[in-house]
Amino acid sequence: MKICGLQKTTLLDFPGHVAATVFLGGCDFRCPFCHNTDLLGGCAPEVMSEEELLGFLKKRRAVLEGVCITGGEPSLSGAELGGLMEAVKGLGYLVKLDTNGYRPEFLKKVCKEGLVDFVAMDIKAGRFHYGEVCGVPGLHMGPVEDSVSFLMEETVPYEFRTTVVKGLHTEKDFEDIARWIEGCSQYFLQGFVDSGNVLRSGFSAFSRKEMEGFLSIVQKTVPAAGIRGVDY
């Protein structure tokens, strides 16, 4: 497990909590709109050890409430990440996991063991072209669908979210997603932002009006759906 980044304080990454965000290296997807491309392969530098991270968290217990673990794709770290979660929980923190859902057995294990307090899972696109949107043509959808089904059992609080990108998503995506996650507790459409460090250039964001059109499609089956990160 390689800790490749630390945001010492965030009010955004863990809903309702003051948190720190830990970035782990490595990912099994290659989403062309990814804004953390430095973390995708194995070349990202390690910025601190697990011991150094835990030392930082011990000192910040009076300020922070939670730790968001993101990437890359954190679940690739497997048992090592499970151990880190256990240590973080032992310090009294809440733990949020960001995931693409492609390792459902890991997700189920850490949730059932009480190591995770909140899960944010990306729904990359409609199922009919999921692999193309996440940069893995021919992707087997079984693991993703398994994770979606598990989270909808509400073992832990969760949200689904889709970063909406012009050139990749259409109304057809949201019609399929609406059927797929019907009745889920939380779903957000997130506006695409070109960080200047995306895997493939040339993408842009939809307008607020277009995003609201997609939202209206989803709200037919997910009334609690909303838009996030769109200020225009």
Side-chain angles (χ1 to χ4, degrees):
M1 181 177 64
K2 185 186 288 187
I3 299 172
C4 299
L6 172 66
Q7 185 175 355
K8 294 182 178 180
T9 308
T10 175
L11 300 176
L12 300 176
D13 291 346
F14 198 151
H17 299 285
V18 181
T21 299
V22 178
F23 297 85
L24 302 185
C27 188
D28 43 0
F29 287 1
R30 289 296 181 269
C31 305
F33 55 92
C34 179
H35 64 278
N36 282 337
T37 56
D38 293 344
L39 302 178
L40 295 183
C43 298
E46 184 174 37
V47 300
M48 63 173 55
S49 66
E50 181 177 333
E51 292 74 18
E52 289 171 325
L53 172 63
L54 294 174
F56 164 78
L57 293 174
K58 286 177 184 177
K59 295 176 182 178
R60 298 283 283 177
R61 281 183 287 192
V63 177
L64 301 174
E65 302 168 291
V67 176
C68 176
I69 301 174
T70 189
E73 174 48 44
S75 66
L76 292 177
S77 295
E80 287 184 281
L81 176 55
L84 175 62
M85 289 176 166
E86 187 172 3
V88 171
K89 292 286 288 182
L91 294 175
Y93 285 102
L94 300 171
V95 173
K96 173 179 177 260
L97 174 67
D98 290 349
T99 183
N100 62 26
Y102 211 64
R103 296 289 182 274
E105 295 310 315
F106 174 83
L107 177 62
K108 294 174 186 179
K109 185 176 189 299
V110 294
C111 288
K112 291 177 179 179
E113 290 178 353
L115 299 180
V116 180
D117 300 283
F118 192 90
V119 175
M121 178 179 161
D122 293 323
I123 302 288
K124 299 294 185 180
R127 290 165 289 186
F128 59 92
H129 69 153
Y130 209 92
E132 286 72 24
V133 173
C134 66
V136 187
L139 180 79
H140 174 49
M141 284 296 295
V144 177
E145 294 176 322
D146 192 5
S147 291
V148 167
S149 296
F150 170 71
L151 289 174
M152 289 183 66
E153 294 172 3
E154 300 194 359
T155 303
V156 298
Y158 70 94
E159 68 177 40
F160 296 130
R161 59 197 187 179
T162 300
T163 298
V164 188
V165 185
K166 186 172 286 191
L168 293 177
H169 298 105
T170 66
E171 288 187 358
K172 187 178 177 182
D173 286 283
F174 299 100
E175 290 166 356
D176 183 65
I177 291 170
R179 291 189 294 268
W180 184 12
I181 63 172
E182 179 176 358
C184 78
S185 59
Q186 291 190 91
Y187 174 66
F188 293 96
L189 282 72
Q190 300 183 155
F192 168 72
V193 177
D194 189 342
S195 66
N197 193 35
V198 294
L199 193 59
R200 199 172 85 207
S201 61
F203 293 112
S204 60
F206 285 96
S207 69
R208 177 83 194 195
K209 184 177 180 180
E210 289 170 317
M211 292 286 283
E212 289 174 347
F214 296 145
L215 178 63
S216 68
I217 293 171
V218 176
Q219 284 182 326
K220 294 174 183 177
T221 60
V222 186
I227 294 174
R228 178 187 283 160
V230 177
D231 299 323
Y232 42 86

